[in-house]
Amino acid sequence: EKYVVAVVGATGAVGNEMIAVLEERDFPVERLRLFASERSEGVRLNFKGQEITVETLKEDSFQGIDIALFSAGAERSKIWAPIAAKSGCVVIDNSSQWRMDPEVPLVVPEVNPHDLKWHKGIIANPNCSTIQMVVALKPIHDVAKIKRVVVTTFQAVSGTGKKAMDELLQQTVALLNFKDIEIKVYPHQIAFNVLPHIDKFLENGYTKEEMKMVNETKKIMGDPSIRVTATTVRVPVFRGHSESVNIETEKKITAQEVRELLSKAPGVVVIDNPDKNEYPLPIYASGRDEVFVGRIREDESIENGINMWIVSDNLRKGAALNAVQIAEELIKML
Ligand code: A2P
Ligand code: 11C
Protein backbone atom coordinates (compact mmCIF):
# COMPACT_ATOMS: atom_id res chain seq x y z
CA GLU A 1 0.00 0.00 0.00
CA LYS A 2 1.09 3.57 -0.71
CA TYR A 3 0.22 6.83 0.99
CA VAL A 4 -0.34 10.45 0.10
CA VAL A 5 2.21 12.31 2.22
CA ALA A 6 2.63 16.04 2.86
CA VAL A 7 5.56 18.02 4.20
CA VAL A 8 4.54 21.35 5.72
CA GLY A 9 7.56 23.67 5.96
CA ALA A 10 9.15 21.88 3.02
CA THR A 11 11.61 24.68 2.23
CA GLY A 12 13.05 24.81 5.76
CA ALA A 13 16.11 23.08 7.20
CA VAL A 14 14.07 20.21 8.69
CA GLY A 15 11.53 20.09 5.83
CA ASN A 16 14.31 19.62 3.30
CA GLU A 17 15.68 16.78 5.37
CA MET A 18 12.22 15.20 5.66
CA ILE A 19 11.97 15.02 1.86
CA ALA A 20 15.46 13.48 1.66
CA VAL A 21 14.71 10.91 4.40
CA LEU A 22 11.39 9.87 2.79
CA GLU A 23 13.27 9.26 -0.45
CA GLU A 24 16.26 7.49 1.10
CA ARG A 25 14.17 5.12 3.19
CA ASP A 26 11.86 4.47 0.27
CA PHE A 27 8.78 5.34 2.30
CA PRO A 28 5.72 4.09 0.35
CA VAL A 29 4.70 7.47 -1.08
CA GLU A 30 1.92 7.49 -3.65
CA ARG A 31 2.10 11.25 -3.97
CA LEU A 32 4.12 13.89 -2.12
CA ARG A 33 2.63 17.35 -1.50
CA LEU A 34 4.86 20.18 -0.32
CA PHE A 35 3.76 23.27 1.59
CA ALA A 36 5.51 26.46 2.73
CA SER A 37 4.70 30.16 3.08
CA GLU A 38 3.67 32.55 0.28
CA ARG A 39 7.34 33.44 -0.04
CA SER A 40 7.98 30.01 -1.55
CA GLU A 41 4.90 29.69 -3.72
CA GLY A 42 5.87 28.13 -7.04
CA VAL A 43 9.30 26.94 -5.85
CA ARG A 44 10.02 23.45 -7.18
CA LEU A 45 11.73 20.82 -5.08
CA ASN A 46 13.05 17.44 -6.15
CA PHE A 47 11.70 14.12 -4.87
CA LYS A 48 12.82 10.87 -6.50
CA GLY A 49 13.81 12.68 -9.69
CA GLN A 50 10.50 14.51 -9.93
CA GLU A 51 9.97 18.25 -9.53
CA ILE A 52 7.20 19.07 -7.05
CA THR A 53 5.74 22.57 -6.84
CA VAL A 54 5.45 24.06 -3.36
CA GLU A 55 1.92 25.13 -2.39
CA THR A 56 0.51 27.42 0.30
CA LEU A 57 -1.88 26.07 2.92
CA LYS A 58 -5.64 26.41 2.52
CA GLU A 59 -8.54 25.09 4.61
CA ASP A 60 -9.07 22.17 2.24
CA SER A 61 -5.39 21.46 1.54
CA PHE A 62 -5.34 18.28 3.63
CA GLN A 63 -8.18 16.50 1.90
CA GLY A 64 -6.90 13.23 0.52
CA ILE A 65 -3.63 13.40 2.47
CA ASP A 66 -2.91 10.37 4.70
CA ILE A 67 0.14 11.57 6.63
CA ALA A 68 1.43 15.13 7.09
CA LEU A 69 4.87 15.88 8.49
CA PHE A 70 4.86 19.38 9.96
CA SER A 71 7.96 21.50 10.55
CA ALA A 72 6.91 25.09 9.99
CA GLY A 73 7.05 26.38 13.56
CA ALA A 74 4.73 26.15 16.56
CA GLU A 75 2.41 28.97 15.46
CA ARG A 76 1.64 27.23 12.16
CA SER A 77 1.17 23.87 13.90
CA LYS A 78 -1.24 25.41 16.38
CA ILE A 79 -3.49 26.58 13.56
CA TRP A 80 -3.04 23.91 10.91
CA ALA A 81 -2.48 20.60 12.73
CA PRO A 82 -6.08 20.43 14.06
CA ILE A 83 -7.40 21.37 10.60
CA ALA A 84 -5.33 18.60 9.05
CA ALA A 85 -6.37 16.06 11.68
CA LYS A 86 -10.01 16.98 11.11
CA SER A 87 -9.57 16.17 7.42
CA GLY A 88 -8.67 12.63 8.47
CA CYS A 89 -4.95 13.01 8.02
CA VAL A 90 -2.45 11.92 10.70
CA VAL A 91 -0.14 14.79 11.65
CA ILE A 92 3.40 14.15 12.84
CA ASP A 93 4.34 17.51 14.26
CA ASN A 94 7.95 18.55 14.79
CA SER A 95 7.10 21.77 16.63
CA SER A 96 6.83 22.27 20.37
CA GLN A 97 3.13 23.16 20.08
CA TRP A 98 1.50 19.83 21.05
CA ARG A 99 4.27 17.96 22.84
CA MET A 100 3.08 18.35 26.42
CA ASP A 101 -0.64 18.05 25.57
CA PRO A 102 -1.92 14.99 27.48
CA GLU A 103 -4.04 14.06 24.44
CA VAL A 104 -0.98 13.91 22.18
CA PRO A 105 1.62 11.12 22.24
CA LEU A 106 5.26 12.26 22.21
CA VAL A 107 7.18 9.49 20.51
CA VAL A 108 10.70 8.22 19.91
CA PRO A 109 10.24 4.85 18.18
CA GLU A 110 13.20 3.21 19.99
CA VAL A 111 11.78 4.28 23.36
CA ASN A 112 7.95 4.42 23.43
CA PRO A 113 6.41 3.12 20.17
CA HIS A 114 3.44 1.81 22.23
CA ASP A 115 2.29 5.41 22.80
CA LEU A 116 1.36 5.65 19.11
CA LYS A 117 -1.67 3.48 19.82
CA TRP A 118 -3.60 6.24 21.56
CA HIS A 119 -3.08 9.09 19.10
CA LYS A 120 -6.11 11.15 18.09
CA GLY A 121 -4.77 12.52 14.83
CA ILE A 122 -1.73 14.43 16.08
CA ILE A 123 1.56 12.85 17.15
CA ALA A 124 4.37 15.04 18.45
CA ASN A 125 8.01 14.67 17.48
CA PRO A 126 10.18 15.64 20.46
CA ASN A 127 12.84 18.35 20.62
CA CYS A 128 16.12 17.33 18.97
CA SER A 129 18.24 17.50 22.11
CA THR A 130 15.71 15.37 24.00
CA ILE A 131 15.47 12.69 21.30
CA GLN A 132 19.16 11.84 21.14
CA MET A 133 19.42 11.77 24.93
CA VAL A 134 16.47 9.42 25.56
CA VAL A 135 17.61 6.98 22.86
CA ALA A 136 20.76 6.46 24.96
CA LEU A 137 19.05 6.66 28.37
CA LYS A 138 16.25 4.15 27.79
CA PRO A 139 18.37 0.95 27.75
CA ILE A 140 20.13 2.10 30.94
CA HIS A 141 16.85 3.02 32.63
CA ASP A 142 15.42 -0.42 31.87
CA VAL A 143 18.34 -2.13 33.61
CA ALA A 144 19.41 0.22 36.39
CA LYS A 145 16.56 2.76 36.82
CA ILE A 146 17.71 6.31 36.32
CA LYS A 147 17.01 8.60 39.27
CA ARG A 148 18.56 11.83 38.05
CA VAL A 149 20.03 13.33 34.87
CA VAL A 150 22.29 16.40 34.64
CA VAL A 151 22.81 17.45 31.03
CA THR A 152 24.73 20.22 29.30
CA THR A 153 24.25 20.58 25.56
CA PHE A 154 26.39 21.98 22.74
CA GLN A 155 23.84 22.66 20.02
CA ALA A 156 24.32 23.37 16.33
CA VAL A 157 22.83 26.44 14.67
CA SER A 158 20.73 24.33 12.26
CA GLY A 159 18.46 23.74 15.28
CA THR A 160 17.35 27.35 14.83
CA GLY A 161 16.80 26.92 11.09
CA LYS A 162 18.19 28.05 7.79
CA LYS A 163 18.62 31.72 8.72
CA ALA A 164 20.91 30.82 11.61
CA MET A 165 23.07 28.62 9.37
CA ASP A 166 23.44 31.56 6.98
CA GLU A 167 24.30 33.87 9.88
CA LEU A 168 27.08 31.61 11.19
CA LEU A 169 28.55 31.36 7.70
CA GLN A 170 28.32 35.09 7.00
CA GLN A 171 29.77 36.10 10.36
CA THR A 172 32.65 33.64 9.99
CA VAL A 173 33.51 34.88 6.49
CA ALA A 174 33.18 38.53 7.54
CA LEU A 175 35.38 38.12 10.61
CA LEU A 176 38.10 36.27 8.67
CA ASN A 177 38.07 39.19 6.22
CA PHE A 178 38.25 41.84 8.99
CA LYS A 179 34.79 43.11 8.05
CA ASP A 180 31.87 44.15 10.25
CA ILE A 181 29.35 41.46 11.11
CA GLU A 182 25.58 41.51 11.19
CA ILE A 183 23.79 40.13 14.24
CA LYS A 184 20.18 39.21 13.50
CA VAL A 185 19.18 35.72 14.61
CA TYR A 186 20.85 35.44 18.03
CA PRO A 187 21.25 38.21 20.62
CA HIS A 188 25.04 37.99 20.22
CA GLN A 189 27.69 37.04 17.68
CA ILE A 190 27.63 33.24 17.19
CA ALA A 191 30.81 32.82 15.11
CA PHE A 192 33.82 32.01 17.37
CA ASN A 193 31.52 32.24 20.39
CA VAL A 194 29.40 30.10 22.76
CA LEU A 195 25.95 31.25 23.93
CA PRO A 196 24.44 29.79 27.13
CA HIS A 197 21.01 30.65 25.81
CA ILE A 198 18.64 28.64 23.59
CA ASP A 199 15.05 29.86 23.13
CA LYS A 200 13.37 32.27 25.54
CA PHE A 201 14.13 32.68 29.23
CA LEU A 202 11.37 31.65 31.62
CA GLU A 203 10.51 32.94 35.10
CA ASN A 204 12.50 30.20 36.83
CA GLY A 205 15.72 31.37 35.15
CA TYR A 206 15.85 28.40 32.79
CA THR A 207 15.32 28.64 29.04
CA LYS A 208 12.42 26.99 27.22
CA GLU A 209 14.90 24.61 25.59
CA GLU A 210 16.12 23.53 29.04
CA MET A 211 12.60 22.91 30.31
CA LYS A 212 11.75 20.98 27.13
CA MET A 213 14.54 18.56 28.02
CA VAL A 214 13.19 18.22 31.56
CA ASN A 215 9.52 17.74 30.70
CA GLU A 216 9.78 15.81 27.44
CA THR A 217 12.22 13.28 28.93
CA LYS A 218 9.72 12.33 31.64
CA LYS A 219 6.85 12.02 29.17
CA ILE A 220 8.74 9.93 26.59
CA MET A 221 10.30 7.65 29.21
CA GLY A 222 6.88 7.33 30.85
CA ASP A 223 8.43 8.02 34.25
CA PRO A 224 7.70 11.36 35.94
CA SER A 225 9.98 10.39 38.83
CA ILE A 226 13.18 10.90 36.80
CA ARG A 227 14.72 14.18 37.91
CA VAL A 228 16.32 16.15 35.07
CA THR A 229 18.24 19.42 35.03
CA ALA A 230 19.67 20.99 31.89
CA THR A 231 21.92 23.78 30.63
CA THR A 232 21.55 24.29 26.89
CA VAL A 233 24.26 26.05 24.93
CA ARG A 234 24.52 27.20 21.30
CA VAL A 235 27.90 26.61 19.66
CA PRO A 236 29.23 27.61 16.22
CA VAL A 237 28.61 24.20 14.66
CA PHE A 238 26.36 23.79 11.61
CA ARG A 239 24.98 20.32 12.21
CA GLY A 240 25.00 17.88 15.11
CA HIS A 241 24.11 18.44 18.75
CA SER A 242 26.54 17.20 21.42
CA GLU A 243 25.63 16.54 25.05
CA SER A 244 27.52 15.91 28.24
CA VAL A 245 25.20 13.71 30.28
CA ASN A 246 25.59 12.67 33.91
CA ILE A 247 23.18 10.11 35.31
CA GLU A 248 22.56 8.68 38.74
CA THR A 249 20.99 5.24 38.87
CA GLU A 250 19.22 3.30 41.57
CA LYS A 251 21.16 0.11 40.79
CA LYS A 252 24.91 0.08 40.27
CA ILE A 253 25.94 -0.20 36.63
CA THR A 254 29.57 -0.14 35.50
CA ALA A 255 30.95 1.80 32.54
CA GLN A 256 31.69 -1.48 30.78
CA GLU A 257 28.10 -2.67 31.31
CA VAL A 258 26.81 0.60 29.84
CA ARG A 259 29.13 0.17 26.83
CA GLU A 260 27.84 -3.37 26.24
CA LEU A 261 24.22 -2.37 26.74
CA LEU A 262 24.41 0.60 24.36
CA SER A 263 26.36 -1.41 21.75
CA LYS A 264 23.27 -3.59 21.39
CA ALA A 265 20.72 -0.77 21.65
CA PRO A 266 18.67 0.12 18.56
CA GLY A 267 19.82 3.31 16.85
CA VAL A 268 22.95 3.67 18.99
CA VAL A 269 26.61 3.39 18.02
CA VAL A 270 29.27 3.36 20.74
CA ILE A 271 32.54 5.10 19.83
CA ASP A 272 34.65 4.94 22.95
CA ASN A 273 38.38 4.41 22.37
CA PRO A 274 40.13 7.22 24.21
CA ASP A 275 43.54 5.60 23.62
CA LYS A 276 43.01 6.21 19.90
CA ASN A 277 41.38 9.64 20.40
CA GLU A 278 38.08 8.14 19.27
CA TYR A 279 34.86 9.62 20.59
CA PRO A 280 31.68 10.96 18.94
CA LEU A 281 32.06 14.25 17.06
CA PRO A 282 29.41 16.39 15.35
CA ILE A 283 31.39 16.59 12.09
CA TYR A 284 31.16 12.80 11.74
CA ALA A 285 27.60 12.48 13.08
CA SER A 286 26.41 15.02 10.50
CA GLY A 287 24.33 13.35 7.80
CA ARG A 288 24.20 10.09 9.78
CA ASP A 289 21.13 8.46 11.32
CA GLU A 290 22.52 7.04 14.55
CA VAL A 291 22.99 8.40 18.05
CA PHE A 292 26.70 8.18 18.89
CA VAL A 293 27.82 7.63 22.49
CA GLY A 294 31.30 7.73 23.97
CA ARG A 295 33.42 8.94 26.91
CA ILE A 296 31.46 6.45 29.02
CA ARG A 297 32.89 6.43 32.52
CA GLU A 298 31.81 6.07 36.12
CA ASP A 299 31.10 9.24 38.09
CA GLU A 300 33.54 8.80 40.96
CA SER A 301 31.84 11.47 43.07
CA ILE A 302 28.74 9.34 43.78
CA GLU A 303 27.86 5.66 44.40
CA ASN A 304 25.94 4.91 41.20
CA GLY A 305 26.79 7.42 38.52
CA ILE A 306 27.76 7.43 34.84
CA ASN A 307 29.09 10.19 32.61
CA MET A 308 28.80 10.04 28.86
CA TRP A 309 28.99 12.12 25.69
CA ILE A 310 26.12 11.83 23.21
CA VAL A 311 26.21 13.23 19.66
CA SER A 312 23.64 13.04 16.87
CA ASP A 313 22.56 14.93 13.77
CA ASN A 314 19.82 17.25 15.03
CA LEU A 315 18.16 17.49 11.61
CA ARG A 316 18.13 13.68 11.19
CA LYS A 317 17.44 11.68 14.36
CA GLY A 318 16.66 14.96 16.13
CA ALA A 319 13.90 15.86 13.68
CA ALA A 320 13.27 14.52 10.16
CA LEU A 321 14.36 10.91 10.66
CA ASN A 322 12.46 10.49 13.92
CA ALA A 323 9.32 11.89 12.24
CA VAL A 324 9.64 9.47 9.30
CA GLN A 325 10.32 6.57 11.70
CA ILE A 326 7.06 7.47 13.48
CA ALA A 327 5.30 7.35 10.09
CA GLU A 328 6.88 3.93 9.44
CA GLU A 329 5.61 2.62 12.79
CA LEU A 330 2.17 4.07 12.07
CA ILE A 331 1.71 2.33 8.74
CA LYS A 332 2.77 -0.96 10.37
CA MET A 333 -0.17 -0.49 12.75
CA LEU A 334 -2.72 0.22 10.00
P1 A2P B 1 9.27 29.61 3.72
O1 A2P B 1 10.59 29.05 3.24
O2 A2P B 1 8.34 29.87 2.57
O3 A2P B 1 9.40 30.75 4.65
P2 A2P B 1 13.24 27.03 9.03
O4 A2P B 1 12.89 26.45 10.36
O5 A2P B 1 14.42 26.37 8.40
O6 A2P B 1 13.37 28.52 9.06
O7 A2P B 1 11.97 26.71 8.07
C1 A2P B 1 10.64 27.08 8.39
C2 A2P B 1 9.70 26.48 7.36
O8 A2P B 1 8.36 26.85 7.70
C3 A2P B 1 9.94 26.97 5.96
O9 A2P B 1 9.67 25.94 5.04
C4 A2P B 1 8.91 28.08 5.84
O10 A2P B 1 8.54 28.40 4.52
C5 A2P B 1 7.76 27.43 6.55
N1 A2P B 1 6.71 28.40 6.88
C6 A2P B 1 6.84 29.59 7.48
N2 A2P B 1 5.66 30.23 7.58
C7 A2P B 1 4.73 29.41 6.99
C8 A2P B 1 3.32 29.48 6.76
N3 A2P B 1 2.61 30.55 7.15
N4 A2P B 1 2.73 28.45 6.14
C9 A2P B 1 3.43 27.38 5.74
N5 A2P B 1 4.76 27.25 5.92
C10 A2P B 1 5.41 28.24 6.55
C1 11C C 1 17.46 24.10 18.79
N1 11C C 1 16.29 22.27 19.87
O1 11C C 1 18.46 23.38 18.62
C2 11C C 1 16.14 23.51 19.15
C3 11C C 1 15.37 23.38 17.87
O2 11C C 1 11.31 22.63 20.12
O3 11C C 1 11.55 21.79 18.17
C4 11C C 1 14.05 22.69 18.00
C5 11C C 1 13.05 23.46 18.81
C6 11C C 1 11.89 22.58 19.04
O4 11C C 1 17.46 25.31 18.66
Side-chain angles (χ1 to χ4, degrees):
E1 188 158 11
K2 292 196 168 187
Y3 302 87
V4 180
V5 179
V7 174
V8 179
T11 51
V14 174
N16 251 301
E17 208 62 33
M18 284 169 163
I19 299 169
V21 174
L22 285 168
E23 174 161 347
E24 259 177 51
R25 295 174 73 88
D26 209 11
F27 190 85
V29 177
E30 184 186 309
R31 180 176 172 211
L32 185 66
R33 307 246 328 252
L34 303 177
F35 296 94
S37 79
E38 296 81 42
R39 291 179 291 276
S40 305
E41 197 155 17
V43 167
R44 293 161 79 90
L45 297 174
N46 193 295
F47 177 68
K48 294 194 170 174
Q50 248 189 320
E51 296 266 288
I52 300 177
T53 305
V54 175
E55 307 168 67
T56 52
L57 290 170
K58 304 191 178 58
E59 287 282 330
D60 61 356
S61 291
F62 294 96
Q63 274 168 24
I65 295 175
D66 300 305
I67 300 170
L69 308 177
F70 271 62
S71 195
E75 279 307 306
R76 260 72 63 185
S77 293
K78 186 177 179 176
I79 299 166
W80 293 100
I83 294 173
K86 229 182 185 169
S87 308
C89 148
V90 182
V91 175
I92 302 169
D93 181 37
N94 187 51
S95 84
S96 59
Q97 180 60 37
W98 304 101
R99 290 183 190 143
M100 297 315 296
D101 189 318
E103 301 279 291
V104 175
L106 181 64
V107 177
V108 178
E110 290 87 343
V111 179
N112 61 335
H114 49 270
D115 282 325
L116 286 173
K117 286 192 208 111
W118 53 270
H119 83 80
K120 300 182 175 71
I122 303 177
I123 297 156
N125 204 44
N127 180 28
C128 36
S129 26
T130 316
I131 294 178
Q132 66 181 66
M133 183 169 79
V134 295
V135 167
L137 292 187
K138 180 63 164 59
I140 303 172
H141 189 54
D142 287 344
V143 169
K145 193 162 181 3
I146 295 172
K147 284 164 55 182
R148 181 167 183 250
V149 180
V150 182
V151 53
T152 304
T153 67
F154 305 73
Q155 297 182 220
V157 294
S158 52
T160 315
K162 240 181 183 160
K163 286 195 198 84
M165 297 172 81
D166 294 342
E167 182 147 314
L168 172 58
L169 185 66
Q170 283 159 8
Q171 288 183 354
T172 306
V173 171
L175 288 163
L176 291 175
N177 285 286
F178 307 100
K179 296 218 173 92
D180 290 337
I181 57 159
E182 270 195 274
I183 296 172
K184 283 188 289 195
V185 177
Y186 299 114
H188 303 280
Q189 172 187 324
I190 182 63
F192 307 103
N193 205 3
V194 162
L195 311 177
H197 175 185
I198 297 185
D199 211 328
K200 295 191 180 70
F201 280 101
L202 301 169
E203 283 210 332
N204 64 357
Y206 286 79
T207 63
K208 270 174 87 175
E209 181 79 0
E210 288 161 350
M211 294 317 293
K212 283 176 193 172
M213 293 195 79
V214 173
N215 298 323
E216 293 179 19
T217 297
K218 295 174 198 230
K219 180 165 174 179
I220 301 162
M221 304 268 280
D223 186 347
S225 76
I226 303 176
R227 285 173 286 160
V228 183
T229 187
T231 304
T232 58
V233 181
R234 188 75 65 193
V235 294
V237 165
F238 284 99
R239 255 178 107 131
H241 286 358
S242 306
E243 302 178 340
S244 161
V245 179
N246 173 266
I247 60 174
E248 186 175 358
T249 54
E250 204 160 279
K251 240 183 82 191
K252 174 79 191 164
I253 186 165
T254 66
Q256 190 48 30
E257 282 166 342
V258 171
R259 253 175 239 122
E260 282 162 19
L261 203 56
L262 292 181
S263 300
K264 288 180 274 168
V268 179
V269 172
V270 174
I271 304 179
D272 200 8
N273 306 303
D275 49 331
K276 294 194 211 141
N277 300 336
E278 288 174 0
Y279 27 72
L281 293 172
I283 54 168
Y284 300 130
S286 176
R288 299 278 302 267
D289 285 346
E290 303 90 337
V291 172
F292 298 91
V293 186
R295 301 295 323 278
I296 300 165
R297 59 217 192 273
E298 278 150 59
D299 173 355
E300 295 177 341
S301 72
I302 50 173
E303 276 301 303
N304 302 335
I306 292 286
N307 279 311
M308 53 189 177
W309 176 249
I310 304 174
V311 181
S312 192
D313 185 327
N314 53 300
L315 298 181
R316 287 249 155 183
K317 185 57 187 165
L321 173 65
N322 197 71
V324 173
Q325 285 175 320
I326 290 175
E328 289 170 349
E329 288 296 318
L330 265 181
I331 61 173
K332 272 193 234 160
M333 287 164 43
L334 293 176

